[in-house]
């Protein structure tokens, strides 16, 4: 069920929707659909915004999140690392963050332990909830660090491909890592990137384009 | 480590009662044997062995912490 309202401000639109549906704002999820200035100058008060609201599926969301947190805590306990888990759910996705001892044991080489834990929590939550939920597990800001490291690697190897004129093969990577590399180089007209191989891990080839 | 594998396996299968885990302790290495109901075998192995691989990765993190190597054997 979706409801849309146009009003002069976001605040006003939210209020109107709540009144109309007879619901409190905590029970709804809001999204600004469009903001259009009225008239040429777009002074305050002349603006119109359109807000869309839908009821939150709170119960289910929290159940999934709480279970995911519990599963992750249980796995970490089994590995025997002192850690705390924080979690949030956003747009149906579950994000869990491990506040650990900083040893990196839960990350592993190229994040493979963290990925295994993430995959396992996702599988177990999916099994219990009867539907697939996207679960992301992070610790010590690893996901973001890995992303910037890959972007740097992609640019460096892109430059190398250009200066040597030779094809560069990167190490086998998982789909998420490959996506970062492809996206980093997608607007570079002098190189082309291609994934090759079978299965979960594939290598990326960075191919210099011949000029002309 | 045995408890960890038991917990994960039970959470993944349809017949948790059929999950059996035994640990055979050696001097440096212990072997953890996991058996499940026949119809659940696919669930703990996963597509292209992905679930079993994730279980082994988690187990090796646990064994690093315990200073003892552990090997997971899935009994068919």
């Amino acid at each position: 069920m979706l409801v849309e309202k146009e009003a002069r401000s976001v605040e006003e639109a939210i209020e109107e929707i709540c009144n109309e549906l007879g619901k409190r704002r905590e029970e709804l999820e809001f999204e600004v659909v469009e903001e259009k200035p009225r008239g040429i100058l777009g002074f305050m008060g002349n603006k119109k915004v359109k807000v869309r609201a839908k009821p939150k599926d709170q119960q289910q969301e929290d159940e999934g999140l709480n279970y995911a947190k519990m599963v992750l805590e249980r796995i970490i306990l089994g590995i025997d690392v002192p850690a705390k888990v924080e979690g949030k759910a956003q747009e149906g996705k579950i994000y869990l963050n491990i506040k650990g001892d900083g040893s990196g044991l839960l990350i592993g080489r190229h994040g493979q332990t963290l990925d295994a834990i993430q995959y396992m929590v996702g599988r177990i939550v999916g099994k219990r909830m009867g539907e697939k939920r996207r679960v992301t597990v992070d610790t010590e800001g690893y996901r973001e660090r890995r992303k910037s490291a890959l972007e740097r690697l992609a640019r460096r190897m892109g430059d190398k491909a250009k200066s040597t004129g030779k094809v560069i093969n990167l190490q086998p990577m998982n789909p998420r890592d490959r996506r970062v590399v492809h996206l980093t180089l997608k607007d570079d007209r002098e190189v082309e990137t291609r994934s090759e191989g079978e299965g979960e891990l594939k290598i990326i080839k960075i191919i210099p384009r011949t000029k002309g | 480590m045995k408890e960890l594998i038991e917990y994960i396996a039970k959470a993944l299968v349809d017949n948790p009662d059929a999950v059996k885990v035994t640990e055979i302790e050696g001097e440096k290495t212990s072997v953890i044997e996991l058996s499940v109901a026949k119809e659940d075998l696919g669930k703990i192995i996963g597509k292209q062995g992905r679930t079993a691989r994730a279980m082994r990765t988690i187990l090796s993190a646990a064994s690093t912490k315990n200073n003892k190597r552990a090997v997971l054997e899935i009994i068919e």
Side-chain angles (χ1 to χ4, degrees):
Chain A
M1 181 190 54
L2 286 171
V3 184
E4 282 182 3
K5 272 266 180 250
E6 240 181 51
R8 275 195 300 261
S9 72
V10 176
E11 208 44 47
E12 202 177 293
I14 289 177
E15 204 153 294
E16 277 186 38
I17 293 171
C18 288
N19 285 339
E20 190 176 303
L21 298 174
K23 289 206 186 265
R24 285 176 294 126
R25 67 175 59 185
E26 303 82 66
E27 298 174 286
L28 301 165
E29 240 175 55
F30 300 97
E31 184 194 343
V32 178
V33 189
E34 53 181 3
E35 240 174 306
K36 48 183 173 192
R38 276 281 161 90
I40 309 157
L41 296 169
F43 284 124
M44 273 218 333
N46 273 332
K47 217 167 67 176
K48 280 252 175 182
V49 292
K50 194 190 252 178
V51 173
R52 181 184 291 161
K54 64 169 189 230
K56 266 191 207 163
D57 208 348
Q58 197 145 24
Q59 185 118 34
Q60 200 188 5
E61 191 114 310
D62 288 349
E63 206 187 317
L65 174 63
N66 289 337
Y67 185 60
K69 249 180 95 174
M70 199 204 83
V71 172
L72 179 56
E73 278 164 357
R74 182 67 187 76
I75 291 175
I76 297 169
L77 187 78
I79 299 176
D80 201 14
V81 174
K84 265 173 79 175
V85 176
E86 293 172 340
K88 62 173 182 187
Q90 224 168 44
E91 291 160 7
K93 293 179 195 152
I94 295 171
Y95 298 89
L96 300 172
N97 187 40
I98 308 167
K99 300 204 120 186
D101 59 356
S103 70
L105 178 70
L106 295 175
I107 299 174
R109 202 170 137 259
H110 296 323
Q112 68 175 12
T113 305
L114 196 61
D115 284 342
I117 293 171
Q118 170 173 296
Y119 172 77
M120 203 53 94
V121 175
R123 281 292 316 273
I124 294 173
V125 170
K127 166 85 182 153
R128 162 69 71 95
M129 297 292 137
E131 53 162 9
K132 260 199 176 162
R133 291 281 300 267
R134 190 65 158 279
V135 178
T136 303
V137 178
D138 197 2
T139 186
E140 297 155 37
Y142 177 76
R143 300 281 178 215
E144 197 48 49
R145 271 189 287 141
R146 174 78 177 152
K147 187 168 168 257
S148 4
L150 283 168
E151 284 167 353
R152 281 197 304 275
L153 174 84
R155 276 188 223 104
R156 201 171 63 237
M157 290 303 154
D159 289 344
K160 197 173 161 192
K162 282 179 237 172
S163 64
T164 59
K166 285 185 183 143
V167 176
I168 308 260
N169 293 325
L170 301 184
Q171 294 289 315
M173 285 180 215
N174 66 35
R176 190 188 48 239
D177 286 353
R178 290 202 304 274
R179 180 169 178 271
V180 175
V181 174
H182 287 305
L183 285 179
T184 307
L185 294 175
K186 80 173 167 44
D187 292 326
D188 193 327
R189 286 157 182 270
E190 294 170 58
V191 290
E192 190 185 325
T193 55
R194 221 179 279 162
S195 292
E196 268 179 31
E198 286 296 319
E200 175 79 0
L201 300 178
K202 296 188 176 80
I203 65 156
I204 290 184
K205 281 180 181 297
I206 303 178
I207 305 153
R209 270 190 244 248
T210 40
K211 285 170 198 143
Chain B
M1 284 189 280
K2 175 179 175 259
E3 288 71 33
L4 178 60
I5 292 301
E6 192 168 339
Y7 167 73
I8 291 174
K10 284 190 169 169
L12 288 172
V13 299
D14 289 331
N15 309 292
D17 292 340
V19 171
K20 283 198 182 62
V21 185
T22 48
E23 186 167 1
I24 304 157
E25 290 200 47
E27 223 170 283
K28 284 188 186 132
T29 308
S30 60
V31 179
I32 294 174
E33 291 183 336
L34 167 65
S35 77
V36 300
K38 208 173 178 188
E39 58 271 31
D40 282 329
L41 203 55
K43 290 200 181 66
I44 58 159
I45 292 172
K47 221 190 270 170
Q48 290 169 331
R50 204 174 162 192
T51 309
R53 199 161 57 238
M55 243 189 283
R56 291 196 169 103
T57 304
I58 292 171
L59 187 64
S60 77
S63 54
T64 306
K65 182 73 194 181
N66 290 315
N67 271 323
K68 190 166 194 184
R69 224 168 74 89
V71 182
L72 176 67
E73 287 290 345
I74 296 165
I75 312 284
E76 286 183 47

